[in-house]
Each structure stands twice: as C-alpha cells, then as structure tokens.
C-alpha cells in the first residue's frame, strides 16, 4: 500500500507539468512601439508586426527599426509569448512547448518498459522522477525559448518514464484483488494536479513564478528514495536472492506475517516462458490488433488533450471552464469502475467513444449561449475519461504475456501522435470554426467501430503466448468454407470414434482432434463418464 501511494501520487506532477501550459502560452495583444525621436518610421493601423518606412515607401518588420519593441497589453513576462516575443513570424511557436513535452514521452515509451526489465523498476521510477524535477526547475531560468524547449523535452522524457514504470511497479506490488481500484485513486491524484495548476494560475501571473510553483511539489518526492522498494516480482524473476531476503525481512517486520522464500524460489523455477522479441509483433493477428489499438489510442489522446488544453476557452471566464473540465474527471473515474464491473470491456469502450462523437457533434448542431455552451464539451470529457479506464485494460488483457511490454510500448508510441497533435488542433478553426469538433466526432466514431473488432477479455484468462492469442471477430470471421468443412469432417470422425472406443480413450481423442472452441463440450463428456 505504501508503494501504491507513492506510485499513484506522482500523477499529480504529470498533470501539473501539462496543465499550466494553457496559462503560460496564452496569446498577448501587442503593438509596435517606435522610438520617440523618429521621423522616418510610423506605426501601421491593424498591423502590429510592421512599421511604414516613409523614405522608401515600404513596410519593414517592427524589430528591424533601431530602438523599436513590442509593447504588450499585459506585463512583459506574463507569458512565454510576451517574454520570448513569440509573435508575428514566430506566432504559434508557443504551442511547441506543449507538444515537445509529449513528443519526449512518445519517443521514450517503446524503450522504457524494456529497460525496466533489465535494470529494475525502482531505478527507472526514481531516476527519471528526479531528472524531471531538475529539468522543470531549469525551464524556470531558461534565458531563451530554445533552451526552454530543450528542458521541456527532457522533462517530457523523464515524466513519461516515471509514469510508465510507476504504473508497472504499482500493479506488481498490490494484491490482485486490489488492482481494480487503482485507477480510482490515480484519477484523484491526476485531478488534484489539474486543479492545483488552476489555483497557481490565479495566484501567480508571471509565467516563471507560476512554473516554479508547479515544480516545487516535485522536490517533495526526495524522501521517496528511502521508501520506494523494488518490485518483488522483478527480483524473483531475476533471482536476486539477497535483495529478496532483504525485501521479505522488511515485509515480515512491517506486515507482521511470515513469507517462505523457498516457496517463492521453487514457484519461479518451475515456471518458464518463451522469449519473444519486437519481430513477433508482425505476426498477422498481433499486428492487426496493434494497428487497431494504436488508432484508438491516437483518438483518445488527441481528444483528451484537445479538450483539456483548450478548456480555458470554454467560457468567457477561463477559470470556470478549466476547473469544470478537471472536476468532471472525478465522477468519470468512479463511473468507469462501476461500468467495468457491470458490463464487458468492449461495451464500455464502444459506447464511450460513440457518445464522445455524439457530444462533439452536438456542440455544432445545438448551439448554446453563456455557460450552457460548456455542457457538451464537458460531457465529451466525461466519456473520454471513461474510455481511458476501459480501453487500456482491454488491450492489456488481450495481449500475450510474452510480448505485453513491447506491445504496450509500441502502442504508447503511436498513440502519442494524438497527444503531440492536440496543441495544434485549434488551427483547424482557420478552415471552419467547427472543424475541430467535427474531426474529433468522425475519428471517435471510426475508433468505436474498430473496438468491435477486438476480442472481449472480461473474466478470461490472460494469454501466455501468441498461440493463446484471440484475434477477435475479424479473424474468427475470416475462416474459409474449406476450413469449416475440414473441421466438421474432423469432428464427425471423432464423434464416430466415441461409439467404438472406451469412454476415456474416446474423450482423449475428442480433445486431440476437435475444434479448440468445442473442447469444453468434450470436458463435460469426460466428467459424466
């Protein structure tokens, strides 16, 4: 439980690092201020980026005039836009600060799970955690925008690393019965960081002070070094006997229970599994399933970050839309837990994506005024949060154990395409003001259809290897008529053998020859005999 609290609490840091960006990247109104003793250049009406040269009868860039500067309506340094002069020809570069953070996570995701298998969960959780703290503090003091982007990239790599490793360490540390509750507390931690970013934005108007305030909670994680244990699962797998004994001794003292080291070792020695590599992802069934889940994750990521990063634009009062956009994730977290108990994984994912599409198109077809215009975007945020609880569970449970790490890494890599593109989603308004909503609607509907092609996993045993993998309805429906006839013929021969052989032998023959999907019937016959 201590490990659980540590690994879920850091979700607050991830949320803080991302959700302060809408406040420090805001556009600023500005004008071109020319030198006072100037008879040659004059300001232009409706164009703050240029000045008029009366001698050459030509327009020049504002900052090309000696002594000219951009005068911002807010204080200089209020945002990175005004501090680094990200206007005119540099307009839109502020969005890079958000996307490059997610790009760092996108690049590292395929490798971090493999690296944690080699060196352990604990170092891959703690080292990136502290690197992210240092990188965020470096962002505060960055003298220019390019160094700021560099430190944001490092922070993104480190944040994605400790988040992914922390989730693995958490699941390998808590009991099996408790795993279904882990997303609920994780949601509370995430929303806490989401809300804290909004509170800091109210208290601090200078972007450097705001960023520093958002970085301070990371310093509080220093004691984690002494309290975070290594994954016992990893220690047993790697046969680290001394460290296992140390772990068990600490557990005995803390939990007041005894644990048999000999039984742990014997269980590990009797288990074996095939070694799989990246190439095994290109198995036809696995590869198609990977592409399906990657697309669905792209839609989920793009929708979430688009709705979150532009939540400050939901109403005239930016803080109202922002806080409501974060708060709706709490009931979504509890609802997802209820739905996953009551319904199948595919059902929850399918209807969540369908309703996301419906709510997004409603923002176009059913115009609202005032605070009412926030209803449909907030409902879309709720359904998107629910699918974030069901869909990762669906593809994780369907993936064979031997390739689950590398599979999740590649899906995470491709899924981050949606995250990286989300900060630029608002640029579609140049085509049509409703274009972002329409794009999200169409992509969500397609993703819902793709979910139906996946296998259901609720209450099913996790597949150990590729041979156990269920390709879903798509591959089950691809059986040729010839294959069906061959199966029917084989089943008929097995049934005839039942009439002439002893019951036990006949059932064994049935088990060897009958279609694997009908083995349950053979088992019933054997039990009756």
């Amino acid at each position: 439980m201590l490990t659980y609290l540590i690994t879920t609490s850091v979700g607050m840091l991830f949320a803080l690092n991302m959700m302060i960006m809408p406040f420090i990247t805001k556009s600023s109104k500005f004008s071109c201020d020319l030198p006072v003793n100037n008879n040659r250049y004059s300001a232009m009406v409706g164009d703050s980026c240029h000045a008029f040269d009366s001698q050459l009868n030509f327009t020049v860039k504002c900052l090309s005039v000696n002594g000219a500067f951009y005068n911002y309506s807010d204080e200089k340094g209020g945002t990175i836009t005004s501090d680094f002069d990200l206007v005119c020809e540099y307009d839109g570069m502020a969005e890079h600060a958000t996307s490059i953070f997610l790009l760092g996570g996108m690049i590292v995701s395929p490798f971090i799970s493999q690296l944690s298998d080699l060196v352990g969960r604990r170092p891959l959780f703690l080292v990136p955690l502290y690197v992210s703290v240092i990188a965020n503090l470096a962002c505060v003091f960055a003298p220019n925008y390019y160094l700021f982007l560099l430190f944001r990239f490092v922070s993104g790599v480190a944040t994605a690393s400790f988040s992914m490793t922390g989730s693995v360490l958490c699941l390998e540390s808590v009991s099996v019965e408790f795993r279904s509750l882990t997303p609920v507390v994780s949601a509370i931690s995430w929303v806490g960081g989401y809300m804290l970013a909004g509170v800091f934005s109210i208290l601090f108007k200078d972007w450097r002070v705001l960023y520093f305030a958002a970085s301070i909670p990371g310093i509080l994680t220093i004691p984690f070094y002494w309290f975070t244990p290594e994954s016992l699962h990893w220690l047993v797998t790697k046969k680290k006997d001394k460290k296992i004994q140390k772990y068990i001794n600490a557990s005995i003292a803390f939990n007041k229970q005894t644990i048999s080291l000999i039984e742990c070792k014997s269980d590990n020695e009797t288990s074996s599994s095939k070694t799989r590599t990246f190439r095994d992802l290109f198995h036809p069934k696995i590869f198609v399933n990977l592409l399906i889940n990657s697309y669905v994750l792209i839609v989920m990521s793009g929708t979430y970050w688009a709705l979150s990063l532009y939540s400050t634009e939901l109403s005239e009062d930016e803080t109202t839309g922002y806080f409501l956009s974060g708060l709706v994730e709490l009931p979504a977290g509890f609802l997802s837990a209820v739905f996953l108990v009551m319904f199948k994984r595919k059902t929850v994912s399918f209807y969540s994506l369908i309703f996301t599409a419906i709510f997004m198109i409603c923002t176009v077809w059913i115009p609202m005024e005032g605070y009412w215009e926030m209803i449909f975007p907030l409902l879309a945020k709720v359904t998107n949060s629910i699918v974030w609880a069901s869909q990762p569970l669906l593809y994780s449970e369907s993936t064979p154990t031997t390739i689950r790490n590398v599979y999740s890494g590649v899906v995470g890599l491709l899924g981050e395409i949606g995250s990286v593109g989300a900060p630029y989603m608002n640029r579609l308004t140049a085509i049509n003001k409703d274009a972002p909503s329409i794009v999200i609607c169409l992509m969500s509907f397609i993703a819902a259809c793709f979910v139906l092609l996946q296998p259901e996993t609720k209450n099913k045993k996790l597949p150990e290897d590729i041979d156990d993998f269920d390709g879903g309805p798509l591959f089950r429906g691809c059986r040729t008529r010839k294959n069906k006839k061959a199966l029917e013929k084989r089943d008929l021969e097995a049934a005839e053998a039942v009439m002439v052989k002893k019951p036990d032998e006949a059932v064994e023959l049935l088990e060897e020859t009958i279609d694997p999907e009908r083995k349950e019937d053979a088992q019933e016959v054997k039990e009756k005999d």
Side-chain angles (χ1 to χ4, degrees):
M1 294 306 297
L2 178 62
T3 307
Y4 169 61
L5 292 175
I6 289 175
T7 54
T8 53
S9 64
V10 294
M12 179 179 292
L13 303 181
F14 197 157
L16 266 173
N17 286 330
M18 277 301 300
M19 297 318 301
I20 59 169
M21 297 310 294
F23 301 105
I24 72 173
T25 59
K26 290 186 297 185
S27 300
S28 300
K29 293 182 180 180
F30 66 99
S31 60
C32 179
D33 275 21
L34 300 170
V36 177
N37 299 324
N38 166 58
N39 297 320
R40 178 176 177 178
Y41 299 98
S42 59
M44 300 184 64
V45 179
D47 186 356
S48 300
C49 295
H50 299 88
F52 183 74
D53 188 339
S54 58
Q55 291 185 4
L56 299 177
N57 196 28
F58 192 73
T59 59
V60 296
K61 293 180 179 179
C62 175
L63 296 185
S64 65
V65 180
N66 289 332
F69 62 93
Y70 294 127
N71 184 19
Y72 295 92
S73 57
D74 56 353
E75 290 187 17
K76 177 74 172 177
T79 65
I80 61 174
T81 301
S82 59
D83 197 13
F84 297 127
D85 289 330
L86 303 179
V87 294
C88 298
E89 65 266 33
Y90 301 108
D91 183 36
M93 284 191 67
E95 297 165 348
H96 299 342
T98 302
S99 62
I100 201 168
F101 180 90
L102 296 168
L103 180 64
M106 173 181 174
I107 292 174
V108 76
S109 57
F111 310 106
I112 192 64
S113 60
Q114 294 294 300
L115 193 58
S116 69
D117 285 342
L118 294 175
V119 302
R121 318 301 192 209
R122 184 176 183 271
L124 262 294
F125 173 72
L126 292 175
V127 173
L129 179 61
Y130 298 138
V131 169
S132 70
V133 175
I134 296 172
N136 286 326
L137 291 174
C139 286
V140 176
F141 302 101
N144 59 66
Y145 188 57
Y146 296 103
L147 278 177
F148 178 81
L149 288 180
L150 175 61
F151 296 137
R152 278 288 291 177
F153 177 80
V154 174
S155 177
V157 169
T159 302
S161 299
F162 75 69
S163 296
M164 292 179 63
T165 309
S167 64
V168 174
L169 178 58
C170 174
L171 291 178
E172 291 180 350
S173 299
V174 301
S175 65
V176 175
E177 295 81 7
F178 190 77
R179 288 179 183 175
S180 60
L181 299 178
T182 56
V184 176
V185 181
S186 298
I188 295 174
S189 175
W190 178 272
V191 174
Y194 200 117
M195 297 293 101
L196 197 57
V199 172
F200 286 159
S201 71
I202 297 174
L203 298 176
F204 311 110
K205 298 304 180 184
D206 184 274
W207 80 265
R208 292 184 187 272
V209 178
L210 173 58
Y211 208 105
F212 181 76
S215 304
I216 286 298
I219 299 177
L220 302 178
T221 63
I222 293 176
F224 287 1
Y225 177 84
W226 291 277
F227 294 104
T228 305
E230 180 56 87
S231 164
L232 181 60
H233 172 83
W234 184 84
L235 292 175
V236 172
T237 302
K238 297 298 181 180
K239 300 181 180 179
K240 305 285 187 180
D241 292 351
K242 292 183 178 179
K243 292 184 178 181
I244 293 172
Q245 187 65 62
K246 183 178 178 181
Y247 184 102
I248 290 178
N249 290 335
S251 299
I252 291 173
F254 191 84
N255 297 315
K256 298 179 180 178
Q257 295 184 14
T258 58
I259 301 172
S260 173
L261 177 59
I262 297 176
E263 290 182 5
C264 290
K265 291 178 65 177
S266 62
D267 289 344
N268 184 58
E269 290 170 355
T270 56
S271 62
S272 62
S273 60
K274 296 180 180 179
T275 301
R276 296 292 185 178
T277 63
F278 179 81
R279 291 182 298 176
D280 292 297
L281 295 180
F282 293 95
H283 186 283
K285 291 193 295 185
I286 299 292
F287 186 67
V288 171
N289 191 267
L290 183 144
L291 293 179
I292 289 174
N293 280 296
S294 297
Y295 174 79
V296 175
L297 201 62
I298 288 173
V299 176
M300 291 163 53
S301 301
T303 302
Y304 179 83
W305 289 117
L307 292 172
S308 298
L309 295 175
Y310 297 116
S311 60
T312 56
E313 302 177 10
L314 289 178
S315 66
E316 295 181 0
D317 179 12
E318 65 177 22
T319 56
T320 300
Y322 176 86
F323 280 109
L324 287 177
S325 180
L327 287 174
V328 295
E329 293 189 41
L330 279 179
F334 290 104
L335 282 174
S336 61
V338 174
F339 290 158
L340 288 172
V341 172
M342 296 176 61
F343 306 108
K344 295 180 178 180
R345 315 285 195 230
K346 285 173 59 174
T347 302
V348 177
S349 292
F350 174 77
Y351 282 106
S352 296
L353 288 166
I354 285 293
F355 277 107
T356 299
I358 292 173
F359 292 141
M360 291 307 298
I361 203 62
C362 283
T363 63
V364 179
W365 288 348
I366 308 177
M368 298 284 191
E369 295 183 358
Y371 289 110
W372 292 103
E373 66 181 349
M374 295 188 291
I375 289 179
F376 291 121
L378 292 177
L379 288 174
K381 186 72 178 294
V382 171
T383 54
N384 176 262
S385 298
I386 292 174
V387 77
W388 267 106
S390 61
Q391 188 61 24
L393 187 61
L394 179 62
Y395 73 72
S396 296
E397 290 179 337
S398 66
T399 308
T401 301
T402 50
I403 59 170
R404 189 171 292 124
N405 269 348
V406 65
Y407 181 97
S408 299
V410 174
V411 170
L413 166 68
L414 298 177
E416 288 297 335
I417 294 174
S419 302
V420 174
Y424 306 99
M425 184 74 73
N426 220 25
R427 295 198 171 201
L428 293 175
T429 54
I431 303 173
N432 185 287
K433 67 181 183 66
D434 297 321
S437 298
I438 295 173
V439 168
I440 293 175
C441 170
L442 292 175
M443 294 185 69
S444 297
F445 180 79
I446 295 172
C449 295
F450 279 166
V451 167
L452 296 178
L453 300 178
Q454 296 184 258
E456 179 55 53
T457 61
K458 186 176 182 179
N459 298 327
K460 290 187 177 181
K461 182 182 178 181
L462 296 178
E464 293 296 330
D465 197 33
I466 293 178
D467 294 336
D468 305 320
F469 177 70
D470 181 0
L474 181 63
F475 282 89
R476 287 199 295 268
C478 288
R479 285 182 175 175
T480 62
R481 184 176 301 176
K482 181 178 180 180
N483 287 339
K484 289 182 179 180
K485 288 183 177 180
L487 290 173
E488 291 174 357
K489 182 179 179 181
R490 189 174 62 184
D491 292 349
L492 180 60
E493 292 175 351
E496 291 175 348
V498 175
M499 305 299 295
V500 296
K501 289 183 175 286
K502 296 180 180 179
D504 290 342
E505 295 177 358
V507 172
E508 289 176 0
L509 180 61
L510 279 172
E511 291 178 343
E512 293 174 359
T513 60
I514 203 167
D515 190 319
E517 295 181 358
R518 305 181 190 178
K519 282 187 176 181
E520 293 182 1
D521 296 335
Q523 182 64 29
E524 291 180 1
V525 172
K526 188 173 183 179
E527 290 175 356
K528 289 180 180 179
D529 292 337

